[in-house]
Amino acid sequence: MRFASDFSVLFGRAIKGSLRNPVWLFIGMFQPVLYLLLFAPLLKGLSGVPGFPAGGAYAVFTPGLLVMLALFTTAFAGFGLVEHIRSGLVERLLVTPASRLSILLALLARDVSVLIAQSVIALGMAALLGLEASLAGLLVTLVLMVVTGLLMASCSYALAMLLKREDAMASVLNTVATPLMLLSGITLPLTLAPKIIQAIASVNPLAYEVTAARSLFLGNFADSSLAVSFALLGGLAVLAFWWAIRSLRKAAA
Amino acid sequence: MTPCIPGSGEIISVRGLRKSFKARRGGAGGAAGAGAAAAGAAGTATRAGRVEAVRGIDLGVREGEIFGFLGPNGAGKSTTLRILSTLVAADAGEIRIAGFDVRKRPGEVRRKIGYVSQAGGADPHATGREDLLLQARLHGLDRSAARRRAEELIQALVLSEFVDRFVKTYSGGQKRKLDIAIGMVNCPKILFLDEPTTGLDPVSRAQLWTQIRQLRDLGTTVFLTTHYMEEADVLCDRIAIIDHGHVVMEGSPADLKGGIQGDILSFTVNHVPNAPEAALEALRGLEFIREAKAEGGSLRLVVSRGGEALPVVLRLLESSGVGVADISLSRPSLDDVFLRATGHSLKDGTAPVSGIGKE
């Protein structure tokens, strides 16, 4: 089938490009790993504080770490696209018979694969440090992360086609991603936060995701945050994907 | 290389093509080939925040010719090329490429054409061979057919010396050769080249011209844009001269130049106020002067029988006290054609030969 062949050829190109620059995969992991090594131990003293979730420091922090990975590494996917707009590769692919859909999906599949690989490495490190978690919960968490990754990478590609410049993209991404992270309870649980911050965070899909992931790690599949985060992130991912494919169709970047 | 089947007749026909972009505030420094920003950079007349890049173009390109689109930066060349190659939708106009309507059948058009943008399009993190294979697979060849086609192109375009290195290590000339090979993978009926020799050294440029002629001789129609007069003159079978989104002339370089009967006599006058006007006044009424024009400190005359005209002109200027330098007598060039059609020189406001101009 035409689509499958185009997709696999394009995916092969993208993944090969990433493997040739593995330094980027590690740079993307640098910040989360620092948090794991230098920040998570600080949480050990907090267990028992009122409002601190059950499960020990690593079971509380690692879910946040995974969401951080999903947020930041895929948000920067568009930088690669800017480079390829400049090198002419994007235009060149658009003039071949390959469909726009296969071009975009191949990039997203690459980003999701990289994200999963990074998450597995991060989980391995956390396990070495003493994380104990439900395996089924971990797998569902990974699915949640894939949805987040699709959302962020799609937004990043649409932005890349809109702005076409790395510096402009970096400022937009930082402006959006930093408050999203701070208001998600990635580092410290929002249950510790003042009411006003909790209220603002209640419209942040990532806050539900972090809560859902923490329950999943403990093997609890019944928390309402799980359904809410799947619905919110899934809906947003569909919108973002539509934005990206539309940009690609009319970009002719 | 597999020769494409030659034929005859119009392979590209364009009627009433128009395109305008939203003008961008300060966006002109964007990526190479960024349509709106680029068109806005050089600017054509605007109405309420829009830049009209192409303002009603008609064109006919015959099968098997090298057709050149000559004009200064910002004239609308790249925009037109991108519309013809299905990248940008036109606002108005009818375009048929190899028998297919670009608007209704973009997929068919993409199968029939090769497109090489100014930036090229090779993946800097891949090898040249990988780039050829990728292109072949996307054009529907299976693995082994793709390998054969890549090898054919490597032989035909002499890429073997560097094709297995990463593209980011290539010289400008090597990169250009690969870009063209990528554009030829599907054996296109029409190859679109956007400013193919911009930034190349003279040797690479000459080699590229030879290769483009070879492609034409094998039956490929080549449609290229250029802002180099020499390139249009020496390489192209026919050209269209474009300025401010309009085609101002179309024909073979020889016919266009032949439209100017006579020789071009040009000279610089000394830096005295009104010297050019004084010179024009002194020469008024000479029957062999067909056209005269002062531009800055220089004068440009179209004269019949240049050899006889030169001494007469010099004598007259001397007796009227106008000092003269840098005299030249030449056959009409495409720049003279351009000047006559548009009222300004193609050289005005464009980058020199080594320029980085983009449209």
Side-chain angles (χ1 to χ4, degrees), chain B residues 47-311:
Chain B
R47 66 180 147 79
R50 290 191 77 79
V51 179
E52 292 189 276
V54 180
R55 305 196 283 179
I57 280 186
D58 299 311
L59 275 182
V61 177
R62 295 170 200 154
E63 190 152 11
E65 70 181 359
I66 300 176
F67 188 87
F69 216 31
L70 174 69
N73 293 324
K77 304 189 298 288
S78 288
T79 302
T80 304
L81 200 71
R82 292 147 72 90
I83 292 171
L84 298 188
S85 48
T86 77
L87 278 168
V88 178
D91 296 337
E94 209 171 296
I95 306 152
R96 293 185 78 79
I97 305 281
F100 294 103
D101 186 312
V102 168
R103 196 187 304 261
K104 292 178 192 140
R105 309 283 297 278
E108 297 296 337
V109 172
R110 286 180 194 132
R111 266 176 257 280
K112 300 274 190 257
I113 65 170
Y115 167 77
V116 181
S117 71
Q118 266 183 73
D123 184 347
H125 304 297
T127 67
R129 189 185 297 272
E130 286 170 342
D131 261 319
L132 291 169
L133 291 174
L134 170 70
Q135 190 78 359
R137 300 280 278 133
L138 292 179
H139 273 286
L141 274 62
D142 65 23
R143 258 174 238 277
S144 61
R147 267 199 295 273
R148 278 198 303 276
R149 181 64 183 151
E151 197 51 49
E152 268 175 20
L153 286 160
I154 290 165
Q155 297 307 324
L157 295 172
V158 202
L159 312 176
S160 54
E161 198 183 303
F162 53 85
V163 76
D164 290 306
R165 290 204 328 249
F166 285 120
V167 171
K168 60 187 168 194
T169 67
Y170 288 9
S171 71
Q174 293 171 333
K175 172 87 167 36
R176 233 345 113 168
K177 278 189 186 174
L178 174 66
D179 294 334
I180 294 197
I182 291 171
M184 288 301 293
V185 160
N186 57 324
C187 189
K189 290 179 87 66
I190 307 157
L191 182 63
F192 290 101
L193 305 173
D194 197 3
E195 304 265 353
T197 64
T198 297
L200 290 189
D201 60 86
V203 176
S204 304
R205 173 170 301 167
Q207 285 179 351
L208 195 62
W209 285 356
T210 307
Q211 282 183 336
I212 291 173
R213 288 195 190 99
Q214 285 169 353
L215 297 178
R216 186 246 343 249
D217 296 342
L218 289 168
T220 309
T221 306
V222 179
F223 185 110
L224 60 88
T225 68
T226 182
H227 59 269
Y228 300 133
M229 277 176 299
E230 191 201 351
E231 185 158 282
D233 200 347
V234 176
L235 178 62
C236 298
D237 301 315
R238 283 196 319 127
I239 61 174
I241 295 178
I242 180 171
D243 189 43
H244 292 297
H246 291 292
V247 170
V248 292
M249 279 196 158
E250 187 179 338
S252 74
D255 287 348
L256 292 178
K257 289 184 292 185
I260 300 180
Q261 298 200 341
D263 302 307
I264 306 295
L265 178 58
S266 55
F267 49 88
T268 316
V269 292
N270 54 8
H271 294 288
V272 176
N274 300 325
E277 288 74 15
L280 281 180
E281 189 54 44
L283 300 175
R284 185 179 297 278
L286 290 176
E287 48 86 26
F288 56 77
I289 297 182
R290 292 163 188 257
E291 289 172 35
K293 196 164 189 284
E295 268 196 343
S298 54
L299 253 71
R300 199 172 162 111
L301 311 174
V302 180
V303 297
S304 52
R305 303 187 309 278
E308 292 168 32
L310 180 59

Side-chain angles (χ1 to χ4, degrees), chain A residues 2 6 9-10 13 16 20-21 83-89 91-98 100 162 164 252-253, chain B residues 24 34 82 85 87-88 110-111 113 115 117 119 121-126 130-131 134-135 137-140 166 182:
Chain A
R2 193 57 212 259
D6 289 346
V9 169
L10 289 166
R13 183 210 71 80
K16 214 184 263 175
R20 279 179 184 156
N21 274 311
E83 185 194 357
H84 287 314
I85 289 173
R86 199 166 290 139
S87 74
L89 178 63
E91 279 198 341
R92 166 190 157 197
L93 296 179
L94 290 174
V95 181
T96 68
R100 272 66 180 144
L162 186 69
K164 300 189 177 87
Chain B
R24 280 207 187 179
R82 292 147 72 90
S85 48
L87 278 168
V88 178
R110 286 180 194 132
R111 266 176 257 280
I113 65 170
Y115 167 77
S117 71
D123 184 347
H125 304 297
E130 286 170 342
D131 261 319
L134 170 70
Q135 190 78 359
R137 300 280 278 133
L138 292 179
H139 273 286
F166 285 120
I182 291 171

